[in-house]
Amino acid sequence: MTATGTRYLARVCLWGLLLSLAVVVVYPLLWMVLNGFKTNAELFANPFALPHQWGLGNFAAAWDRGVSSYLATSVFVTIVSTLSTALLSAWAAYGLTRLRVPLEGPLTAVVLAGLMLAPTVALIPLVQLFQRLGLYNSVWALVILYTAFRIPFTTFLIRAYMVEIPREIDEAASIDGAGPGYTFWRIVLPLCKPIMASVVILHVLFAWNEYLFAMIFTSGAGTQTLPVGLTNLMARHGTDYPVVFAGMAIAALPMVLLFFGGQRWFIRGLADGVGK
């Protein structure tokens, strides 16, 4: 086989692999959305067929059965925890890379050691702590937990990006009279837009889909997020599965739009940061 034939065969195999991966990822989402338009009888008769009638009745039913409340809670928890995690992690990364901090090495090791802490290990003491603080069964419990457990990872990503920014920029700002706060907000942070976008997308995906903390630390329609709330749509007897699929489609839509909308920034941030 010639060199041209080998390259052509390798390209065909690569495109075949990518197409197979796309089918594996897209088909379950498409199947879920299509089943949201069916009735229970249609679903059990042939779950892989197209709906006989197209209507938004199941989506309206899911919305009225609590998905609207769960969606609002998920949006609040996700936005607040994303902002707090991104800003605190950026501050920590800035201090560890741009400032002269006593015991910088041990502090960096302590922050990164948080990556090895499994959330399940701390569940019992955390429940007792939040009960004593009066934060148990509140959205603020989830905000604090999501922020605390994601700061080590996001700090690691931002720090890897900030290390590559020349220190001469800070020195020039200092000569012009800029303090650390001004340098961080007006100079360093804008240069970190790609990695910050990656951090935001990763945290939004985590907070939106997190189930364990949301199940243990909240109860009731006013505090439960979408992953936990969707389980309430399933009854012990006579579950209306198309309504459940409709609710799942509503929950998945914002994340799909977010990822495809921020895909360019997400890939650029990870490639320029961790890839260096």
Side-chain angles (χ1 to χ4, degrees):
M1 182 178 292
T2 63
T4 303
T6 302
R7 289 195 298 268
Y8 179 77
L9 179 60
R11 183 173 298 179
V12 170
C13 293
L14 176 61
W15 278 104
L17 176 61
L18 294 177
L19 181 61
S20 300
L21 291 175
V23 171
V24 170
V25 173
V26 174
Y27 179 75
L29 294 174
L30 182 62
W31 182 83
M32 176 184 67
V33 173
L34 290 177
N35 283 326
F37 290 95
K38 297 180 180 179
T39 63
N40 255 339
E42 289 180 297
L43 179 62
F44 285 106
N46 191 348
F48 301 102
L50 292 175
H52 294 304
Q53 294 182 348
W54 298 86
L56 299 177
N58 291 330
F59 293 87
W63 187 266
D64 293 336
R65 294 184 188 181
V67 170
S68 58
S69 175
Y70 305 138
L71 180 65
T73 302
S74 288
V75 169
F76 177 82
V77 171
T78 300
I79 291 177
V80 176
S81 64
T82 299
L83 291 176
S84 60
T85 300
L87 292 178
L88 290 175
S89 299
W91 264 115
Y94 179 77
L96 294 174
T97 57
R98 324 298 292 186
L99 303 178
R100 295 180 179 178
V101 180
L103 302 176
E104 177 182 344
L107 284 176
T108 303
V110 169
V111 172
L112 298 183
L115 294 171
M116 298 181 289
L117 179 62
T120 53
V121 176
L123 281 178
I124 294 178
L126 283 174
V127 169
Q128 295 176 345
L129 174 64
F130 280 95
Q131 285 177 340
R132 293 178 180 177
L133 294 176
L135 295 174
Y136 187 78
N137 192 26
S138 69
V139 294
W140 294 108
L142 297 182
V143 170
I144 294 173
L145 290 170
Y146 293 171
T147 301
F149 279 93
R150 294 295 289 184
I151 279 180
F153 177 67
T154 53
T155 301
F156 169 75
L157 291 180
I158 300 173
R159 178 181 178 274
Y161 195 95
M162 283 188 180
V163 166
E164 300 297 329
I165 299 177
R167 288 183 175 270
E168 288 77 8
I169 296 177
D170 301 61
E171 296 174 358
S174 178
I175 293 174
D176 291 338
Y182 184 92
T183 304
F184 171 77
W185 287 108
R186 296 299 182 90
I187 300 175
V188 176
L189 192 60
L191 293 175
C192 295
K193 284 182 179 179
I195 193 61
M196 294 301 295
S198 300
V199 164
V200 167
I201 293 175
L202 287 173
H203 185 86
V204 167
L205 292 173
F206 162 78
W208 193 265
N209 298 308
E210 200 281 329
Y211 181 80
L212 181 63
F213 284 148
M215 178 187 65
I216 295 176
F217 288 88
T218 61
S219 62
T223 57
Q224 287 181 332
T225 57
L226 272 170
V228 179
L230 289 175
T231 61
N232 295 334
L233 297 179
M234 302 182 64
R236 292 184 178 181
H237 306 287
T239 298
D240 195 347
Y241 289 100
V243 174
V244 176
F245 284 126
M248 294 169 62
I250 294 173
L253 180 61
M255 295 300 99
V256 173
L257 296 177
L258 172 68
F259 185 79
F260 282 105
Q263 183 179 14
R264 179 172 64 90
W265 288 96
F266 177 74
I267 296 175
R268 178 184 171 187
L270 292 183
D272 292 348
V274 180
K276 289 183 178 180

